[in-house]
Amino acid sequence: MVAGVALVPNWSAGAAVTNDPTVDAGTKATFQKLADAVFTDRTQALVGGATQSTPQQRTHRFTGEVRLSGTQTRQEKSALTQLRGRKDRLAKLGEQYSAGSTSVKLDATQVKGRRATVAVTETTSLTYKKVRANQPKTTGFQAHHELTFQADGNGDWQLTGVKDTDDGYLAVNQVAKPEVAQPATATTAADDGPPDAPKSATTRPAPANPKNMTASGYDYKAMVAYATKYWNNYNTEYPDFNGAGAGGDCTNFVSQSLKAGGWKHVPGYTNDFHKWFGTKDIQSDSFVGVNEFSWFALSSKRVTPLANVFQADLGDVIQMDFNKDGSKDHTMIVTNRDAQGVPYVTYHSTNTYNRSVASLVASYPTAAFYAYRT
């Protein structure tokens, strides 16, 4: 997500859980079904559909069943309550979902004695209830989680913990508070300080005039096409900054999209925020760091701050500061704007496409937002 002390690409990304090939298919299937039920329930809380009673499935390796522990049951009930509240806030902003689909894939399963750790990938799609002109029909994301299970003396497995392992907690059905970055520590080659970005209002105004798509000379459709192509299928011509303390891939992804639409490299020292460049082998801090990107974009006059986040249009950039500590935490690019003036963003960490700004405002009401016209 952000540039910090070290910006290290995740050249060998993989699950933190070491896969145990001796775990039988039946045990894996029960873990997978329980995980699928948990995340499906969270999605259905946003749709308004009935949540299910988490299934108890028999394993082949153990004699007992798999279910939620008492503590995890309470945590899931709390999560569902929060998500129903988010659903109500979204409805007030004019956003509702008619259907939701969630599937879970096991990436790795490790069993040590009566303790199991399971890495999964959740893929969720939500269908917008009222599809108007220029509005996408669906939004969706991929999120990664680590689940822990504990078996008692009778061989009954209990789900004891769910941890989100992406570098951002920005999936619409997640309720965990985001991990925020410490202020960036990059030094600069110039003696002038980095510019401050003005915050953007989040109250929904009357629809703004459409963006002039030809005035800048940039190809905004190419930016959108790039983001749509690589939102969950990363371009191997660039490093992946997810995981292993790398800081997250959100700004790297947005920079790639802008580059695809005509932003040109400004070569120089990697830690000089006046420079901007990114290839497979080397990237400037401004190419991959949230705050550094803002500093470059403003100082180079490649962007103009927008007074309201709802004014953003195709190819524009939106950033968030989750806890308003002055250090920005996340970068996104606008890939759609509907006739009612609502922008939709696509981003990495967690990989997400066409999520409405209304959803972000409803999910993070205490965050600071920054919007930039590119």
Short mmCIF file of all heavy atoms in Angstrom, two decimals, residues 54-123:
data_model
loop_
_atom_site.label_atom_id
_atom_site.label_comp_id
_atom_site.label_asym_id
_atom_site.label_seq_id
_atom_site.Cartn_x
_atom_site.Cartn_y
_atom_site.Cartn_z
N THR A 54 -24.02 -22.25 10.03
CA THR A 54 -22.76 -22.79 9.53
C THR A 54 -22.79 -24.31 9.56
O THR A 54 -23.08 -24.92 10.60
CB THR A 54 -21.60 -22.29 10.37
OG1 THR A 54 -21.62 -20.85 10.34
CG2 THR A 54 -20.28 -22.76 9.81
N PRO A 55 -22.53 -24.98 8.45
CA PRO A 55 -22.68 -26.43 8.39
C PRO A 55 -21.65 -27.15 9.23
O PRO A 55 -20.54 -26.68 9.43
CB PRO A 55 -22.47 -26.72 6.90
CG PRO A 55 -21.60 -25.60 6.42
CD PRO A 55 -22.03 -24.40 7.20
N GLN A 56 -22.05 -28.29 9.71
CA GLN A 56 -21.12 -29.18 10.40
C GLN A 56 -20.87 -30.37 9.48
O GLN A 56 -21.78 -31.12 9.15
CB GLN A 56 -21.71 -29.64 11.74
CG GLN A 56 -21.89 -28.49 12.72
CD GLN A 56 -22.33 -28.96 14.08
OE1 GLN A 56 -22.71 -30.12 14.25
NE2 GLN A 56 -22.29 -28.08 15.06
N GLN A 57 -19.64 -30.52 9.08
CA GLN A 57 -19.28 -31.54 8.10
C GLN A 57 -18.36 -32.58 8.73
O GLN A 57 -17.42 -32.25 9.43
CB GLN A 57 -18.57 -30.89 6.90
CG GLN A 57 -19.39 -29.80 6.21
CD GLN A 57 -20.54 -30.35 5.43
OE1 GLN A 57 -20.56 -31.52 5.08
NE2 GLN A 57 -21.53 -29.51 5.18
N ARG A 58 -18.64 -33.83 8.46
CA ARG A 58 -17.78 -34.88 8.97
C ARG A 58 -16.50 -34.99 8.15
O ARG A 58 -16.52 -34.84 6.93
CB ARG A 58 -18.50 -36.24 8.98
CG ARG A 58 -19.58 -36.31 10.04
CD ARG A 58 -19.97 -37.75 10.33
NE ARG A 58 -20.85 -37.79 11.48
CZ ARG A 58 -20.43 -37.83 12.74
NH1 ARG A 58 -19.14 -37.82 12.99
NH2 ARG A 58 -21.28 -37.87 13.74
N THR A 59 -15.40 -35.24 8.83
CA THR A 59 -14.13 -35.44 8.14
C THR A 59 -13.88 -36.93 7.97
O THR A 59 -14.51 -37.77 8.61
CB THR A 59 -12.98 -34.83 8.94
OG1 THR A 59 -12.79 -35.61 10.13
CG2 THR A 59 -13.27 -33.40 9.32
N HIS A 60 -12.96 -37.25 7.09
CA HIS A 60 -12.56 -38.64 6.89
C HIS A 60 -11.42 -39.02 7.82
O HIS A 60 -11.29 -40.18 8.23
CB HIS A 60 -12.14 -38.85 5.43
CG HIS A 60 -13.28 -38.68 4.47
ND1 HIS A 60 -13.12 -38.67 3.11
CD2 HIS A 60 -14.61 -38.50 4.69
CE1 HIS A 60 -14.29 -38.49 2.52
NE2 HIS A 60 -15.19 -38.39 3.46
N ARG A 61 -10.60 -38.03 8.14
CA ARG A 61 -9.43 -38.35 8.94
C ARG A 61 -9.75 -38.38 10.42
O ARG A 61 -9.18 -39.14 11.18
CB ARG A 61 -8.34 -37.31 8.65
CG ARG A 61 -7.06 -37.52 9.42
CD ARG A 61 -5.99 -36.55 8.95
NE ARG A 61 -4.79 -36.66 9.76
CZ ARG A 61 -3.69 -35.96 9.55
NH1 ARG A 61 -3.63 -35.12 8.54
NH2 ARG A 61 -2.63 -36.09 10.33
N PHE A 62 -10.70 -37.52 10.83
CA PHE A 62 -11.08 -37.45 12.23
C PHE A 62 -12.53 -37.89 12.38
O PHE A 62 -13.31 -37.84 11.44
CB PHE A 62 -10.88 -36.03 12.77
CG PHE A 62 -9.43 -35.62 12.86
CD1 PHE A 62 -8.78 -35.10 11.76
CD2 PHE A 62 -8.73 -35.77 14.04
CE1 PHE A 62 -7.44 -34.74 11.84
CE2 PHE A 62 -7.39 -35.40 14.12
CZ PHE A 62 -6.75 -34.88 13.02
N THR A 63 -12.90 -38.32 13.58
CA THR A 63 -14.23 -38.86 13.80
C THR A 63 -15.27 -37.78 14.03
O THR A 63 -16.46 -38.04 13.93
CB THR A 63 -14.22 -39.78 15.03
OG1 THR A 63 -13.78 -39.02 16.17
CG2 THR A 63 -13.27 -40.94 14.81
N GLY A 64 -14.83 -36.58 14.37
CA GLY A 64 -15.77 -35.55 14.79
C GLY A 64 -16.24 -34.66 13.65
O GLY A 64 -16.22 -35.03 12.49
N GLU A 65 -16.70 -33.46 14.02
CA GLU A 65 -17.26 -32.53 13.08
C GLU A 65 -16.48 -31.22 13.13
O GLU A 65 -15.63 -31.04 14.00
CB GLU A 65 -18.74 -32.26 13.42
CG GLU A 65 -19.58 -33.53 13.35
CD GLU A 65 -20.99 -33.31 13.88
OE1 GLU A 65 -21.15 -32.48 14.79
OE2 GLU A 65 -21.91 -33.97 13.38
N VAL A 66 -16.76 -30.33 12.18
CA VAL A 66 -16.09 -29.05 12.16
C VAL A 66 -17.15 -27.96 12.32
O VAL A 66 -18.20 -28.01 11.70
CB VAL A 66 -15.28 -28.85 10.85
CG1 VAL A 66 -16.15 -28.93 9.63
CG2 VAL A 66 -14.50 -27.55 10.90
N ARG A 67 -16.87 -26.99 13.18
CA ARG A 67 -17.83 -25.94 13.46
C ARG A 67 -17.07 -24.71 13.97
O ARG A 67 -15.85 -24.75 14.13
CB ARG A 67 -18.85 -26.39 14.52
CG ARG A 67 -18.21 -26.85 15.82
CD ARG A 67 -19.25 -27.42 16.77
NE ARG A 67 -18.65 -27.95 17.98
CZ ARG A 67 -18.31 -27.22 19.05
NH1 ARG A 67 -18.51 -25.91 19.04
NH2 ARG A 67 -17.77 -27.77 20.11
N LEU A 68 -17.79 -23.63 14.25
CA LEU A 68 -17.18 -22.44 14.82
C LEU A 68 -17.05 -22.61 16.33
O LEU A 68 -17.93 -23.16 16.98
CB LEU A 68 -18.04 -21.20 14.54
CG LEU A 68 -17.77 -20.42 13.25
CD1 LEU A 68 -18.14 -21.26 12.05
CD2 LEU A 68 -18.56 -19.12 13.24
N SER A 69 -15.95 -22.13 16.88
CA SER A 69 -15.80 -22.10 18.33
C SER A 69 -16.76 -21.06 18.90
O SER A 69 -17.31 -20.23 18.17
CB SER A 69 -14.37 -21.75 18.72
OG SER A 69 -14.08 -20.41 18.37
N GLY A 70 -16.96 -21.10 20.22
CA GLY A 70 -17.84 -20.12 20.85
C GLY A 70 -17.39 -18.70 20.62
O GLY A 70 -18.19 -17.81 20.29
N THR A 71 -16.08 -18.46 20.77
CA THR A 71 -15.54 -17.12 20.57
C THR A 71 -15.70 -16.68 19.12
O THR A 71 -16.11 -15.54 18.84
CB THR A 71 -14.05 -17.07 20.96
OG1 THR A 71 -13.93 -17.38 22.34
CG2 THR A 71 -13.46 -15.69 20.69
N GLN A 72 -15.41 -17.58 18.19
CA GLN A 72 -15.52 -17.22 16.78
C GLN A 72 -16.98 -17.00 16.37
O GLN A 72 -17.28 -16.16 15.53
CB GLN A 72 -14.88 -18.30 15.90
CG GLN A 72 -14.64 -17.88 14.46
CD GLN A 72 -13.70 -16.70 14.35
OE1 GLN A 72 -12.75 -16.58 15.12
NE2 GLN A 72 -13.97 -15.80 13.41
N THR A 73 -17.89 -17.74 16.99
CA THR A 73 -19.31 -17.54 16.72
C THR A 73 -19.72 -16.12 17.09
O THR A 73 -20.43 -15.44 16.34
CB THR A 73 -20.16 -18.55 17.50
OG1 THR A 73 -19.85 -19.88 17.05
CG2 THR A 73 -21.65 -18.30 17.30
N ARG A 74 -19.27 -15.66 18.26
CA ARG A 74 -19.59 -14.30 18.69
C ARG A 74 -18.97 -13.27 17.74
O ARG A 74 -19.59 -12.25 17.42
CB ARG A 74 -19.12 -14.08 20.12
CG ARG A 74 -19.91 -14.86 21.16
CD ARG A 74 -19.56 -14.44 22.57
NE ARG A 74 -18.20 -14.80 22.93
CZ ARG A 74 -17.86 -15.98 23.45
NH1 ARG A 74 -18.78 -16.93 23.65
NH2 ARG A 74 -16.60 -16.23 23.77
N GLN A 75 -17.73 -13.53 17.30
CA GLN A 75 -17.08 -12.59 16.40
C GLN A 75 -17.79 -12.52 15.06
O GLN A 75 -17.93 -11.44 14.47
CB GLN A 75 -15.61 -12.99 16.22
CG GLN A 75 -14.76 -12.79 17.47
CD GLN A 75 -13.31 -13.19 17.26
OE1 GLN A 75 -12.94 -13.71 16.22
NE2 GLN A 75 -12.49 -12.96 18.28
N GLU A 76 -18.26 -13.66 14.57
CA GLU A 76 -18.97 -13.66 13.29
C GLU A 76 -20.32 -12.97 13.41
O GLU A 76 -20.75 -12.26 12.51
CB GLU A 76 -19.14 -15.10 12.77
CG GLU A 76 -17.86 -15.72 12.25
CD GLU A 76 -17.20 -14.87 11.17
OE1 GLU A 76 -17.90 -14.44 10.23
OE2 GLU A 76 -15.99 -14.60 11.27
N LYS A 77 -21.00 -13.15 14.54
CA LYS A 77 -22.27 -12.44 14.75
C LYS A 77 -22.03 -10.94 14.77
O LYS A 77 -22.82 -10.17 14.22
CB LYS A 77 -22.91 -12.91 16.06
CG LYS A 77 -23.53 -14.31 15.99
CD LYS A 77 -24.19 -14.67 17.31
CE LYS A 77 -24.85 -16.04 17.22
NZ LYS A 77 -25.48 -16.44 18.52
N SER A 78 -20.94 -10.52 15.41
CA SER A 78 -20.60 -9.10 15.44
C SER A 78 -20.30 -8.59 14.04
O SER A 78 -20.72 -7.49 13.65
CB SER A 78 -19.40 -8.87 16.36
OG SER A 78 -18.97 -7.52 16.31
N ALA A 79 -19.57 -9.38 13.25
CA ALA A 79 -19.24 -8.98 11.88
C ALA A 79 -20.50 -8.82 11.04
O ALA A 79 -20.64 -7.86 10.28
CB ALA A 79 -18.30 -10.00 11.25
N LEU A 80 -21.43 -9.76 11.19
CA LEU A 80 -22.66 -9.68 10.41
C LEU A 80 -23.49 -8.47 10.81
O LEU A 80 -24.11 -7.82 9.96
CB LEU A 80 -23.47 -10.97 10.59
CG LEU A 80 -22.83 -12.25 10.03
CD1 LEU A 80 -23.71 -13.46 10.33
CD2 LEU A 80 -22.57 -12.14 8.54
N THR A 81 -23.50 -8.15 12.09
CA THR A 81 -24.22 -6.97 12.55
C THR A 81 -23.62 -5.71 11.95
O THR A 81 -24.34 -4.81 11.48
CB THR A 81 -24.19 -6.88 14.08
OG1 THR A 81 -24.84 -8.03 14.64
CG2 THR A 81 -24.88 -5.63 14.58
N GLN A 82 -22.28 -5.63 11.92
CA GLN A 82 -21.62 -4.47 11.33
C GLN A 82 -21.91 -4.36 9.84
O GLN A 82 -22.13 -3.26 9.31
CB GLN A 82 -20.11 -4.56 11.56
CG GLN A 82 -19.69 -4.42 13.01
CD GLN A 82 -18.17 -4.49 13.16
OE1 GLN A 82 -17.46 -3.70 12.57
NE2 GLN A 82 -17.70 -5.44 13.93
N LEU A 83 -21.93 -5.50 9.16
CA LEU A 83 -22.17 -5.48 7.72
C LEU A 83 -23.62 -5.10 7.39
O LEU A 83 -23.87 -4.44 6.39
CB LEU A 83 -21.81 -6.83 7.12
CG LEU A 83 -20.31 -7.14 7.09
CD1 LEU A 83 -20.06 -8.59 6.74
CD2 LEU A 83 -19.59 -6.22 6.10
N ARG A 84 -24.55 -5.51 8.24
CA ARG A 84 -25.94 -5.08 8.02
C ARG A 84 -26.06 -3.57 8.20
O ARG A 84 -26.82 -2.91 7.49
CB ARG A 84 -26.87 -5.84 8.96
CG ARG A 84 -26.98 -7.34 8.65
CD ARG A 84 -28.01 -8.04 9.50
NE ARG A 84 -28.00 -9.48 9.25
CZ ARG A 84 -27.47 -10.39 10.06
NH1 ARG A 84 -26.91 -9.99 11.21
NH2 ARG A 84 -27.49 -11.67 9.75
N GLY A 85 -25.30 -3.03 9.17
CA GLY A 85 -25.27 -1.58 9.32
C GLY A 85 -24.67 -0.90 8.11
O GLY A 85 -25.14 0.16 7.66
N ARG A 86 -23.63 -1.50 7.54
CA ARG A 86 -23.02 -0.96 6.32
C ARG A 86 -24.01 -1.00 5.17
O ARG A 86 -24.09 -0.08 4.36
CB ARG A 86 -21.76 -1.76 5.97
CG ARG A 86 -21.00 -1.24 4.76
CD ARG A 86 -19.71 -2.00 4.55
NE ARG A 86 -18.81 -1.84 5.69
CZ ARG A 86 -17.67 -2.51 5.83
NH1 ARG A 86 -17.30 -3.38 4.91
NH2 ARG A 86 -16.90 -2.32 6.88
N LYS A 87 -24.78 -2.09 5.10
CA LYS A 87 -25.81 -2.21 4.06
C LYS A 87 -26.81 -1.06 4.15
O LYS A 87 -27.20 -0.47 3.14
CB LYS A 87 -26.53 -3.55 4.22
CG LYS A 87 -27.77 -3.73 3.35
CD LYS A 87 -28.39 -5.08 3.60
CE LYS A 87 -29.76 -5.18 2.93
NZ LYS A 87 -30.76 -4.31 3.59
N ASP A 88 -27.23 -0.70 5.37
CA ASP A 88 -28.18 0.39 5.55
C ASP A 88 -27.57 1.73 5.15
O ASP A 88 -28.23 2.58 4.53
CB ASP A 88 -28.64 0.45 7.01
CG ASP A 88 -29.46 -0.77 7.41
OD1 ASP A 88 -30.01 -1.43 6.50
OD2 ASP A 88 -29.57 -1.06 8.62
N ARG A 89 -26.28 1.94 5.49
CA ARG A 89 -25.62 3.19 5.11
C ARG A 89 -25.49 3.29 3.59
O ARG A 89 -25.65 4.37 3.01
CB ARG A 89 -24.24 3.30 5.77
CG ARG A 89 -24.29 3.47 7.29
CD ARG A 89 -22.95 3.90 7.84
NE ARG A 89 -21.90 2.94 7.59
CZ ARG A 89 -21.63 1.89 8.37
NH1 ARG A 89 -22.36 1.69 9.46
NH2 ARG A 89 -20.65 1.07 8.09
N LEU A 90 -25.21 2.16 2.96
CA LEU A 90 -25.11 2.15 1.50
C LEU A 90 -26.46 2.49 0.87
O LEU A 90 -26.51 3.24 -0.12
CB LEU A 90 -24.64 0.77 1.03
CG LEU A 90 -23.14 0.49 1.15
CD1 LEU A 90 -22.86 -0.98 0.92
CD2 LEU A 90 -22.37 1.33 0.15
N ALA A 91 -27.53 1.94 1.41
CA ALA A 91 -28.86 2.20 0.86
C ALA A 91 -29.18 3.68 0.90
O ALA A 91 -29.79 4.23 -0.03
CB ALA A 91 -29.91 1.39 1.62
N LYS A 92 -28.77 4.36 1.97
CA LYS A 92 -29.01 5.80 2.09
C LYS A 92 -28.24 6.58 1.03
O LYS A 92 -28.63 7.69 0.66
CB LYS A 92 -28.64 6.28 3.49
CG LYS A 92 -29.57 5.75 4.58
CD LYS A 92 -29.14 6.22 5.95
CE LYS A 92 -30.06 5.66 7.03
NZ LYS A 92 -29.62 6.06 8.39
N LEU A 93 -27.12 6.00 0.57
CA LEU A 93 -26.34 6.64 -0.48
C LEU A 93 -26.78 6.20 -1.87
O LEU A 93 -26.17 6.56 -2.88
CB LEU A 93 -24.85 6.32 -0.28
CG LEU A 93 -24.19 6.97 0.93
CD1 LEU A 93 -22.81 6.37 1.19
CD2 LEU A 93 -24.07 8.48 0.73
N GLY A 94 -27.83 5.39 -1.93
CA GLY A 94 -28.38 4.98 -3.21
C GLY A 94 -27.78 3.71 -3.78
O GLY A 94 -27.97 3.43 -4.96
N GLU A 95 -27.07 2.94 -2.97
CA GLU A 95 -26.45 1.71 -3.47
C GLU A 95 -27.02 0.49 -2.76
O GLU A 95 -27.02 0.40 -1.54
CB GLU A 95 -24.93 1.75 -3.28
CG GLU A 95 -24.25 0.49 -3.80
CD GLU A 95 -22.74 0.66 -3.93
OE1 GLU A 95 -22.30 1.74 -4.37
OE2 GLU A 95 -22.02 -0.27 -3.58
N GLN A 96 -27.49 -0.46 -3.57
CA GLN A 96 -28.00 -1.72 -3.05
C GLN A 96 -27.55 -2.85 -3.97
O GLN A 96 -27.25 -2.63 -5.15
CB GLN A 96 -29.53 -1.70 -2.96
CG GLN A 96 -30.09 -0.71 -1.94
CD GLN A 96 -31.60 -0.66 -1.96
OE1 GLN A 96 -32.21 -0.29 -2.96
NE2 GLN A 96 -32.21 -1.05 -0.85
N TYR A 97 -27.53 -4.06 -3.42
CA TYR A 97 -27.14 -5.24 -4.20
C TYR A 97 -28.32 -6.20 -4.29
O TYR A 97 -29.03 -6.42 -3.31
CB TYR A 97 -25.95 -5.94 -3.56
CG TYR A 97 -24.79 -5.02 -3.26
CD1 TYR A 97 -24.37 -4.80 -1.95
CD2 TYR A 97 -24.11 -4.36 -4.27
CE1 TYR A 97 -23.31 -3.95 -1.66
CE2 TYR A 97 -23.05 -3.51 -4.00
CZ TYR A 97 -22.66 -3.31 -2.69
OH TYR A 97 -21.62 -2.47 -2.40
N SER A 98 -28.51 -6.77 -5.46
CA SER A 98 -29.60 -7.73 -5.66
C SER A 98 -29.15 -9.16 -5.47
O SER A 98 -29.96 -10.05 -5.22
CB SER A 98 -30.21 -7.56 -7.05
OG SER A 98 -29.23 -7.83 -8.05
N ALA A 99 -27.86 -9.40 -5.58
CA ALA A 99 -27.35 -10.76 -5.45
C ALA A 99 -25.87 -10.72 -5.11
O ALA A 99 -25.17 -9.74 -5.41
CB ALA A 99 -27.57 -11.56 -6.74
N GLY A 100 -25.40 -11.78 -4.49
CA GLY A 100 -23.98 -11.92 -4.17
C GLY A 100 -23.54 -13.35 -4.34
O GLY A 100 -24.30 -14.29 -4.08
N SER A 101 -22.33 -13.51 -4.82
CA SER A 101 -21.78 -14.85 -5.03
C SER A 101 -20.39 -14.91 -4.44
O SER A 101 -19.54 -14.06 -4.73
CB SER A 101 -21.72 -15.17 -6.53
OG SER A 101 -21.05 -16.39 -6.77
N THR A 102 -20.15 -15.90 -3.58
CA THR A 102 -18.84 -16.06 -2.94
C THR A 102 -18.37 -17.50 -3.09
O THR A 102 -19.14 -18.43 -2.89
CB THR A 102 -18.93 -15.70 -1.45
OG1 THR A 102 -19.19 -14.31 -1.31
CG2 THR A 102 -17.62 -16.03 -0.73
N SER A 103 -17.12 -17.65 -3.46
CA SER A 103 -16.50 -18.98 -3.50
C SER A 103 -15.15 -18.91 -2.82
O SER A 103 -14.51 -17.86 -2.82
CB SER A 103 -16.35 -19.48 -4.94
OG SER A 103 -15.48 -18.64 -5.67
N VAL A 104 -14.73 -20.01 -2.23
CA VAL A 104 -13.47 -20.07 -1.50
C VAL A 104 -12.63 -21.22 -2.03
O VAL A 104 -13.12 -22.34 -2.19
CB VAL A 104 -13.71 -20.25 0.01
CG1 VAL A 104 -12.40 -20.50 0.75
CG2 VAL A 104 -14.41 -19.02 0.59
N LYS A 105 -11.36 -20.93 -2.31
CA LYS A 105 -10.42 -21.95 -2.78
C LYS A 105 -9.33 -22.13 -1.74
O LYS A 105 -8.75 -21.15 -1.25
CB LYS A 105 -9.79 -21.53 -4.11
CG LYS A 105 -8.77 -22.51 -4.67
CD LYS A 105 -8.24 -22.05 -6.02
CE LYS A 105 -7.33 -20.83 -5.90
NZ LYS A 105 -6.04 -21.17 -5.26
N LEU A 106 -9.04 -23.38 -1.38
CA LEU A 106 -7.95 -23.66 -0.46
C LEU A 106 -6.62 -23.55 -1.20
O LEU A 106 -6.40 -24.18 -2.23
CB LEU A 106 -8.08 -25.08 0.13
CG LEU A 106 -8.69 -25.16 1.53
CD1 LEU A 106 -10.14 -24.71 1.49
CD2 LEU A 106 -8.57 -26.57 2.08
N ASP A 107 -5.72 -22.71 -0.66
CA ASP A 107 -4.39 -22.57 -1.26
C ASP A 107 -3.37 -23.45 -0.57
O ASP A 107 -2.43 -23.93 -1.21
CB ASP A 107 -3.95 -21.11 -1.16
CG ASP A 107 -4.88 -20.17 -1.91
OD1 ASP A 107 -5.27 -20.51 -3.05
OD2 ASP A 107 -5.24 -19.12 -1.36
N ALA A 108 -3.51 -23.66 0.72
CA ALA A 108 -2.57 -24.51 1.48
C ALA A 108 -3.23 -24.92 2.78
O ALA A 108 -4.00 -24.15 3.39
CB ALA A 108 -1.27 -23.76 1.75
N THR A 109 -2.94 -26.13 3.22
CA THR A 109 -3.48 -26.66 4.47
C THR A 109 -2.34 -27.31 5.25
O THR A 109 -1.60 -28.14 4.71
CB THR A 109 -4.58 -27.70 4.22
OG1 THR A 109 -5.59 -27.12 3.40
CG2 THR A 109 -5.19 -28.18 5.52
N GLN A 110 -2.21 -26.93 6.50
CA GLN A 110 -1.16 -27.48 7.34
C GLN A 110 -1.77 -27.97 8.65
O GLN A 110 -2.49 -27.23 9.32
CB GLN A 110 -0.10 -26.41 7.63
CG GLN A 110 1.13 -26.91 8.37
CD GLN A 110 2.16 -25.81 8.54
OE1 GLN A 110 1.83 -24.73 9.01
NE2 GLN A 110 3.39 -26.06 8.14
N VAL A 111 -1.52 -29.22 8.99
CA VAL A 111 -2.02 -29.80 10.23
C VAL A 111 -0.84 -30.25 11.08
O VAL A 111 0.02 -31.00 10.62
CB VAL A 111 -2.95 -31.00 9.96
CG1 VAL A 111 -3.39 -31.65 11.27
CG2 VAL A 111 -4.18 -30.55 9.17
N LYS A 112 -0.80 -29.76 12.31
CA LYS A 112 0.21 -30.17 13.29
C LYS A 112 -0.51 -30.62 14.54
O LYS A 112 -1.04 -29.80 15.29
CB LYS A 112 1.17 -29.02 13.60
CG LYS A 112 2.06 -28.61 12.42
CD LYS A 112 3.06 -27.52 12.82
CE LYS A 112 3.97 -27.17 11.67
NZ LYS A 112 4.95 -26.10 12.03
N GLY A 113 -0.55 -31.92 14.72
CA GLY A 113 -1.27 -32.46 15.86
C GLY A 113 -2.75 -32.17 15.70
O GLY A 113 -3.37 -32.54 14.70
N ARG A 114 -3.30 -31.46 16.66
CA ARG A 114 -4.73 -31.12 16.61
C ARG A 114 -4.94 -29.64 16.29
O ARG A 114 -5.97 -29.06 16.61
CB ARG A 114 -5.41 -31.50 17.92
CG ARG A 114 -5.40 -33.02 18.14
CD ARG A 114 -6.31 -33.46 19.24
NE ARG A 114 -6.34 -34.90 19.34
CZ ARG A 114 -7.13 -35.69 18.63
NH1 ARG A 114 -7.99 -35.14 17.76
NH2 ARG A 114 -7.10 -36.99 18.77
N ARG A 115 -3.97 -29.05 15.65
CA ARG A 115 -4.10 -27.66 15.21
C ARG A 115 -3.88 -27.61 13.70
O ARG A 115 -2.96 -28.23 13.16
CB ARG A 115 -3.07 -26.77 15.92
CG ARG A 115 -3.12 -25.31 15.48
CD ARG A 115 -2.11 -24.47 16.26
NE ARG A 115 -2.02 -23.11 15.73
CZ ARG A 115 -2.83 -22.11 16.06
NH1 ARG A 115 -3.82 -22.34 16.92
NH2 ARG A 115 -2.68 -20.91 15.54
N ALA A 116 -4.75 -26.87 13.02
CA ALA A 116 -4.65 -26.74 11.57
C ALA A 116 -4.65 -25.26 11.19
O ALA A 116 -5.34 -24.44 11.82
CB ALA A 116 -5.81 -27.45 10.88
N THR A 117 -3.87 -24.94 10.16
CA THR A 117 -3.85 -23.59 9.60
C THR A 117 -4.13 -23.72 8.11
O THR A 117 -3.52 -24.53 7.42
CB THR A 117 -2.49 -22.92 9.82
OG1 THR A 117 -2.14 -23.00 11.21
CG2 THR A 117 -2.53 -21.47 9.40
N VAL A 118 -5.07 -22.92 7.62
CA VAL A 118 -5.53 -23.04 6.24
C VAL A 118 -5.49 -21.67 5.57
O VAL A 118 -6.03 -20.69 6.09
CB VAL A 118 -6.97 -23.59 6.19
CG1 VAL A 118 -7.44 -23.73 4.75
CG2 VAL A 118 -7.05 -24.94 6.91
N ALA A 119 -4.83 -21.59 4.43
CA ALA A 119 -4.80 -20.37 3.62
C ALA A 119 -5.81 -20.51 2.50
O ALA A 119 -5.84 -21.52 1.79
CB ALA A 119 -3.41 -20.13 3.05
N VAL A 120 -6.68 -19.50 2.34
CA VAL A 120 -7.73 -19.56 1.33
C VAL A 120 -7.77 -18.27 0.53
O VAL A 120 -7.33 -17.21 0.99
CB VAL A 120 -9.12 -19.81 1.96
CG1 VAL A 120 -9.12 -21.09 2.77
CG2 VAL A 120 -9.57 -18.63 2.81
N THR A 121 -8.31 -18.37 -0.68
CA THR A 121 -8.60 -17.22 -1.52
C THR A 121 -10.10 -17.12 -1.68
O THR A 121 -10.75 -18.07 -2.13
CB THR A 121 -7.95 -17.33 -2.90
OG1 THR A 121 -6.53 -17.36 -2.75
CG2 THR A 121 -8.32 -16.15 -3.80
N GLU A 122 -10.65 -15.99 -1.29
CA GLU A 122 -12.09 -15.73 -1.45
C GLU A 122 -12.31 -14.91 -2.71
O GLU A 122 -11.64 -13.89 -2.91
CB GLU A 122 -12.62 -14.96 -0.24
CG GLU A 122 -14.05 -14.45 -0.41
CD GLU A 122 -14.41 -13.34 0.55
OE1 GLU A 122 -13.55 -12.96 1.39
OE2 GLU A 122 -15.54 -12.83 0.46
N THR A 123 -13.24 -15.33 -3.54
CA THR A 123 -13.64 -14.57 -4.72
C THR A 123 -15.11 -14.23 -4.59
O THR A 123 -15.95 -15.13 -4.47
CB THR A 123 -13.41 -15.36 -6.01
OG1 THR A 123 -12.01 -15.70 -6.11
CG2 THR A 123 -13.81 -14.54 -7.23
#
